[in-house]
Amino acid sequence: MNVSPSPSVTTAGSAGSDVLRTLLERPIPAVMGVLNVTPDSFSDGGEFIVPEQALARARAMIEAGVDIIDVGAESTRPYKGAQPVAAEGELARLKPVLADVAALGVPVSIDSMKADVVAFALDQGAVIANDVWGLQRDAAMAPLIAAKGVPVIVMHNRDSVDPAIDIIADMKAFFQRSLEIAAQAGIAHDKIVLDPGMGFGKTAEQSMIALAGLREFDLFGLPILVGASRKRFIASVSPSEPKERLAGSIAAHLIAAQRGAKIIRTHDVAETLQALRVAHAIESKQ
């Protein structure tokens, strides 16, 4: 593998900011493709753990029209069963593939809750950080993001599911804490994207409430990313295994787009992009 020279901090930050700004100006949501280099992800665990398979998957997503490739090396299953991985384990999975994926020319985000892993990924060419704990799990994450100057996706999460809570209120409080952490660290407000965390720390009902109430988060004045792809809440409506949830995923993502989501995270790039384009074309005739 030919490892590309590490970009400077300024380069990574400016590239990520320019990418985010450009994508958010488009008439339809940007499509972020999932690339899990893990053995245990809920939908595609083990399929892309071999570097050649991961690169082939990245190329296929690029051919399909993906806007961002989100690379993750630790399963963060939105329900019980994820196996924690130390930073060294994540890095071992990323080192053979990340720089080569970044060299393909499509912006790469790094899906990790560990600052050390994010720092490595940014040095290897990633330009966006995707933190499934919204800057609230690793105290070094927010200062790192501020220093690098890159955009960050702040996802809502919970340690446990509580069916009795008002999930929208919980999410608002979580995001407010994350934004306070970001501000204290010096992360620019316009470099933050919010993610409702479909399925994470939520019942199926709460995930659907969060999606239906997406406009509730307009008060933060920030773009929203929605990743409903193959999530379990779909099976609560229509019993199915993860790879049988394409139609449900597209339905959820079209609703997210109607409610203002600017980025859609999906395993199924071509199908999702087609659905978004057709929906936009129809709506534009009104």
Side-chain angles (χ1 to χ4, degrees), residues 46-223:
E47 291 186 21
F48 310 114
I49 194 73
V50 176
E52 291 76 13
Q53 294 171 334
L55 282 170
R57 176 63 171 171
R59 291 189 184 99
M61 289 194 289
I62 291 170
E63 185 175 350
V66 78
D67 297 299
I68 306 167
I69 297 176
D70 190 43
V71 181
E74 178 182 14
S75 173
T76 51
R77 293 173 179 233
Y79 43 85
K80 300 293 183 182
Q83 297 298 315
V85 178
E88 292 77 12
E90 281 190 67
L91 292 171
R93 294 171 182 174
L94 290 170
K95 285 178 180 177
V97 70
L98 185 59
D100 286 348
V101 172
L104 295 176
V106 167
V108 168
S109 60
I110 176 64
D111 180 355
S112 179
M113 65 183 89
K114 300 181 185 70
D116 287 347
V117 175
V118 172
F120 166 80
L122 296 176
D123 283 343
Q124 292 297 303
V127 295
I128 300 171
N130 183 6
D131 184 357
V132 299
W133 272 99
L135 307 176
Q136 297 186 35
R137 184 50 59 97
D138 187 337
M141 185 70 81
L144 169 71
I145 300 301
K148 294 289 188 179
V150 296
V152 60
I153 298 162
V154 169
M155 196 190 85
H156 172 267
N157 212 331
R158 290 177 52 83
D159 284 311
S160 60
V161 174
D162 183 354
I165 64 170
D166 179 336
I167 194 64
I168 297 292
D170 187 83
M171 294 168 72
K172 288 179 178 178
F174 181 97
F175 287 143
Q176 187 59 49
R177 289 194 299 273
S178 293
L179 294 178
E180 289 169 358
I181 291 169
Q184 291 169 2
I187 299 173
H189 191 71
D190 63 1
K191 292 184 179 178
I192 300 172
V193 175
L194 301 181
D195 178 353
M198 304 301 293
F200 286 83
K202 302 172 186 68
T203 65
E205 182 79 6
Q206 288 171 335
S207 287
M208 290 187 281
I209 289 170
L211 183 52
L214 211 58
R215 286 291 185 188
E216 292 278 348
F217 309 113
D218 287 352
L219 65 92
F220 295 109
L222 292 169

Side-chain angles (χ1 to χ4, degrees), residues 31-43:
V31 172
M32 172 186 280
V34 178
L35 180 58
N36 291 317
V37 290
T38 59
D40 59 342
S41 291
F42 81 96
S43 174

Side-chain angles (χ1 to χ4, degrees), residues 203-285:
T203 65
E205 182 79 6
Q206 288 171 335
S207 287
M208 290 187 281
I209 289 170
L211 183 52
L214 211 58
R215 286 291 185 188
E216 292 278 348
F217 309 113
D218 287 352
L219 65 92
F220 295 109
L222 292 169
I224 302 292
L225 177 152
V226 170
S229 185
R230 304 182 183 178
K231 294 291 177 67
R232 182 178 284 184
F233 79 88
I234 297 168
S236 75
V237 178
S238 179
S240 51
E241 295 301 314
K243 290 187 178 180
E244 300 169 345
R245 300 173 189 164
L246 174 60
S249 301
I250 288 176
H253 286 149
L254 290 179
I255 289 172
Q258 290 170 354
R259 284 161 171 73
K262 292 294 186 180
I263 304 174
I264 299 298
R265 183 179 183 272
T266 181
H267 299 81
D268 303 292
V269 172
E271 296 86 348
T272 301
L273 186 55
Q274 182 183 80
L276 291 169
R277 285 173 172 167
V278 171
H280 173 71
I282 294 169
E283 290 171 349
S284 69
K285 305 305 179 187

